[in-house]
Amino acid sequence: GAVVSQHPSRVICKSGTSVKIECRSLDFQATTMFWYRQFPKQSLMLMATSNEGSKATYEQGVEKDKFLINHASLTLSTLTVTSAHPEDSSFYICSATRTGSHTDTQYFGPGTRLTVL
Amino acid sequence: GENVGLHLPTLSVQEGDNSIINCAYSNSASDYFIWYKQESGKGPQFIIDIRSNMDKRQGQRVTVLLNKTVKHLSLQIAATQPGDSAVYFCAETVSGGYQKVTFGTGTKLQVIP
């Protein structure tokens, strides 16, 4: 199978601090990873597309300076929420597509619950 | 903008019965559709997918039907079990080049023992 992990699974931080979330593809290489945000009882909203070795592509309305994405290797992408505020509290989920795959199936991580006090 | 929507936000089904979850999509360019299952506090789990050149695809206890004429997608779960209780999302995308996936609003499936 294709396994995607996220770390940490839960994080609580004070307002104004920065939080880094890691997304790893454990048994495959992923040129492209995606970051989603999900508020309670709502659907997943794509925040950005993370490409290995290049700048991320952000969706409309997502501040690139607030949500820093680094895709440094074919198995790791990080999302840093800078100067977090309570309204950033959400469930952050990443997904990855297998490099060279002939399908478009995205494999999702288990998510990271961020709570900003 | 384009969106994928669901008709029923909550579906309650007796254990052992069949479940049908519906989804409408609006992007006529979408040619690849996926159903995901999401349990509370977890990430989405791939269930089954279908491409636009097909009308039906079957998996283990699940069947996806695609009606391109009316832009409608459905997920059928046979002999629903308590472990099937979750939120189900349909998603659409244009295949190739790692196109972004657009998720529907989700349907919560409650299985009554």
Side-chain angles (χ1 to χ4, degrees):
Chain A
V3 180
V4 176
S5 70
Q6 283 184 239
H7 178 80
S9 57
R10 289 178 177 270
V11 57
I12 300 173
C13 69
K14 293 182 179 180
S15 183
T17 61
S18 295
V19 175
K20 179 185 286 187
I21 302 170
E22 294 184 348
C23 177
R24 294 181 184 273
S25 56
L26 298 185
D27 52 358
F28 66 100
Q29 293 184 330
T31 305
T32 302
M33 292 182 173
F34 302 87
W35 286 97
Y36 295 83
R37 180 168 51 184
Q38 185 179 33
F39 293 108
K41 298 184 179 180
Q42 294 188 23
S43 188
L44 284 74
M45 297 299 296
L46 180 66
M47 299 175 65
T49 302
S50 170
N51 300 295
E52 188 269 336
S54 64
K55 292 183 179 180
T57 303
Y58 290 82
E59 293 300 299
Q60 189 174 6
V62 179
E63 300 176 56
K64 63 179 181 179
D65 294 330
K66 180 169 183 61
F67 299 99
L68 301 178
I69 292 174
N70 185 358
H71 194 154
S73 75
L74 287 172
T75 59
L76 173 65
S77 176
T78 61
L79 169 68
T80 300
V81 183
T82 63
S83 186
H85 292 286
E87 57 266 29
D88 298 323
S89 298
S90 187
F91 194 49
Y92 291 86
I93 308 171
C94 72
S95 70
T97 304
R98 191 191 301 263
T99 299
S101 172
H102 294 295
T103 69
D104 302 286
T105 303
Q106 291 187 22
Y107 300 94
F108 285 83
T112 296
R113 174 75 61 191
L114 171 63
T115 302
V116 184
L117 302 177
Chain B
E2 301 285 5
N3 68 84
V4 177
L6 295 174
H7 300 300
L8 299 173
T10 304
L11 177 66
S12 295
V13 176
Q14 201 73 37
E15 181 179 358
D17 288 350
N18 297 332
S19 303
I20 299 177
I21 301 173
N22 296 301
C23 175
Y25 66 95
S26 57
N27 185 357
S28 57
S30 294
D31 61 358
Y32 179 56
F33 305 89
I34 316 105
W35 279 100
Y36 288 97
K37 173 186 179 183
Q38 186 179 29
E39 297 176 331
S40 181
K42 298 183 179 180
Q45 176 186 355
F46 173 90
I47 300 174
I48 192 168
D49 59 359
I50 189 169
R51 296 196 180 274
S52 59
N53 61 349
M54 302 176 68
D55 297 322
K56 179 180 179 179
R57 189 158 189 238
Q58 287 184 296
Q60 187 175 11
R61 282 203 306 121
V62 293
T63 301
V64 55
L65 299 177
L66 174 63
N67 186 330
K68 296 180 289 294
T69 302
V70 295
K71 297 187 180 68
H72 185 267
L73 196 67
S74 69
L75 175 69
Q76 300 178 2
I77 304 174
T80 312
Q81 303 170 358
D84 295 327
S85 294
V87 177
Y88 290 81
F89 293 97
C90 65
E92 60 169 333
T93 188
V94 177
S95 61
Y98 305 122
Q99 297 287 341
K100 63 182 182 182
V101 173
T102 301
F103 280 80
T105 55
T107 292
K108 183 177 181 179
L109 176 64
Q110 295 179 324
V111 180
I112 304 168

